[in-house]
PDB file of all heavy atoms in Angstrom:
ATOM      1  N   LEU B 282     143.972  76.273 109.557  1.00 79.00           N
ATOM      2  CA  LEU B 282     145.410  76.227 109.816  1.00 79.00           C
ATOM      3  C   LEU B 282     146.119  77.367 109.103  1.00 79.00           C
ATOM      4  O   LEU B 282     146.971  78.052 109.661  1.00 79.00           O
ATOM      5  CB  LEU B 282     145.994  74.897 109.322  1.00 79.00           C
ATOM      6  CG  LEU B 282     145.951  73.743 110.315  1.00 79.00           C
ATOM      7  CD1 LEU B 282     146.470  72.472 109.659  1.00 79.00           C
ATOM      8  CD2 LEU B 282     146.804  74.082 111.532  1.00 79.00           C
ATOM      9  N   LEU B 283     145.706  77.565 107.842  1.00 73.00           N
ATOM     10  CA  LEU B 283     146.302  78.626 107.029  1.00 73.00           C
ATOM     11  C   LEU B 283     146.086  79.988 107.676  1.00 73.00           C
ATOM     12  O   LEU B 283     147.003  80.790 107.843  1.00 73.00           O
ATOM     13  CB  LEU B 283     145.643  78.579 105.654  1.00 73.00           C
ATOM     14  CG  LEU B 283     146.360  79.234 104.503  1.00 73.00           C
ATOM     15  CD1 LEU B 283     147.563  78.394 104.125  1.00 73.00           C
ATOM     16  CD2 LEU B 283     145.420  79.343 103.313  1.00 73.00           C
ATOM     17  N   ILE B 284     144.839  80.228 108.071  1.00 70.00           N
ATOM     18  CA  ILE B 284     144.502  81.502 108.687  1.00 70.00           C
ATOM     19  C   ILE B 284     145.242  81.661 110.010  1.00 70.00           C
ATOM     20  O   ILE B 284     145.794  82.711 110.317  1.00 70.00           O
ATOM     21  CB  ILE B 284     142.976  81.590 108.911  1.00 70.00           C
ATOM     22  CG1 ILE B 284     142.276  81.741 107.563  1.00 70.00           C
ATOM     23  CG2 ILE B 284     142.625  82.749 109.822  1.00 70.00           C
ATOM     24  CD1 ILE B 284     140.792  81.531 107.627  1.00 70.00           C
ATOM     25  N   TRP B 285     145.287  80.560 110.762  1.00 74.00           N
ATOM     26  CA  TRP B 285     145.917  80.599 112.065  1.00 74.00           C
ATOM     27  C   TRP B 285     147.406  80.891 111.950  1.00 74.00           C
ATOM     28  O   TRP B 285     147.978  81.649 112.719  1.00 74.00           O
ATOM     29  CB  TRP B 285     145.652  79.267 112.760  1.00 74.00           C
ATOM     30  CG  TRP B 285     146.262  79.134 114.102  1.00 74.00           C
ATOM     31  CD1 TRP B 285     145.860  79.760 115.254  1.00 74.00           C
ATOM     32  CD2 TRP B 285     147.391  78.324 114.464  1.00 74.00           C
ATOM     33  NE1 TRP B 285     146.662  79.383 116.299  1.00 74.00           N
ATOM     34  CE2 TRP B 285     147.609  78.500 115.844  1.00 74.00           C
ATOM     35  CE3 TRP B 285     148.217  77.471 113.749  1.00 74.00           C
ATOM     36  CZ2 TRP B 285     148.639  77.849 116.525  1.00 74.00           C
ATOM     37  CZ3 TRP B 285     149.233  76.822 114.435  1.00 74.00           C
ATOM     38  CH2 TRP B 285     149.439  77.016 115.800  1.00 74.00           C
ATOM     39  N   SER B 286     148.046  80.297 110.930  1.00 69.00           N
ATOM     40  CA  SER B 286     149.485  80.499 110.808  1.00 69.00           C
ATOM     41  C   SER B 286     149.810  81.912 110.329  1.00 69.00           C
ATOM     42  O   SER B 286     150.772  82.516 110.794  1.00 69.00           O
ATOM     43  CB  SER B 286     150.108  79.463 109.877  1.00 69.00           C
ATOM     44  OG  SER B 286     149.703  79.706 108.557  1.00 69.00           O
ATOM     45  N   THR B 287     149.001  82.461 109.419  1.00 63.00           N
ATOM     46  CA  THR B 287     149.265  83.851 109.017  1.00 63.00           C
ATOM     47  C   THR B 287     148.954  84.798 110.156  1.00 63.00           C
ATOM     48  O   THR B 287     149.610  85.809 110.336  1.00 63.00           O
ATOM     49  CB  THR B 287     148.431  84.269 107.794  1.00 63.00           C
ATOM     50  OG1 THR B 287     147.179  83.646 107.881  1.00 63.00           O
ATOM     51  CG2 THR B 287     149.116  83.936 106.512  1.00 63.00           C
ATOM     52  N   LYS B 288     147.966  84.424 110.956  1.00 61.00           N
ATOM     53  CA  LYS B 288     147.595  85.271 112.081  1.00 61.00           C
ATOM     54  C   LYS B 288     148.718  85.319 113.109  1.00 61.00           C
ATOM     55  O   LYS B 288     148.973  86.329 113.730  1.00 61.00           O
ATOM     56  CB  LYS B 288     146.319  84.719 112.713  1.00 61.00           C
ATOM     57  CG  LYS B 288     145.802  85.546 113.865  1.00 61.00           C
ATOM     58  CD  LYS B 288     144.595  84.867 114.481  1.00 61.00           C
ATOM     59  CE  LYS B 288     144.581  85.042 115.976  1.00 61.00           C
ATOM     60  NZ  LYS B 288     143.695  84.110 116.641  1.00 61.00           N
ATOM     61  N   ARG B 289     149.404  84.176 113.264  1.00 60.00           N
ATOM     62  CA  ARG B 289     150.498  84.183 114.230  1.00 60.00           C
ATOM     63  C   ARG B 289     151.655  85.037 113.745  1.00 60.00           C
ATOM     64  O   ARG B 289     152.360  85.635 114.544  1.00 60.00           O
ATOM     65  CB  ARG B 289     150.984  82.758 114.480  1.00 60.00           C
ATOM     66  CG  ARG B 289     150.068  82.018 115.421  1.00 60.00           C
ATOM     67  CD  ARG B 289     150.825  80.996 116.208  1.00 60.00           C
ATOM     68  NE  ARG B 289     151.949  80.448 115.466  1.00 60.00           N
ATOM     69  CZ  ARG B 289     152.857  79.658 116.017  1.00 60.00           C
ATOM     70  NH1 ARG B 289     152.761  79.360 117.277  1.00 60.00           N
ATOM     71  NH2 ARG B 289     153.826  79.171 115.292  1.00 60.00           N
TER      72      ARG B 289
END
Side-chain angles (χ1 to χ4, degrees):
Chain B
L282 273 176
L283 200 72
I284 289 167
W285 179 73
S286 70
T287 36
K288 182 184 143 197
R289 281 210 329 171

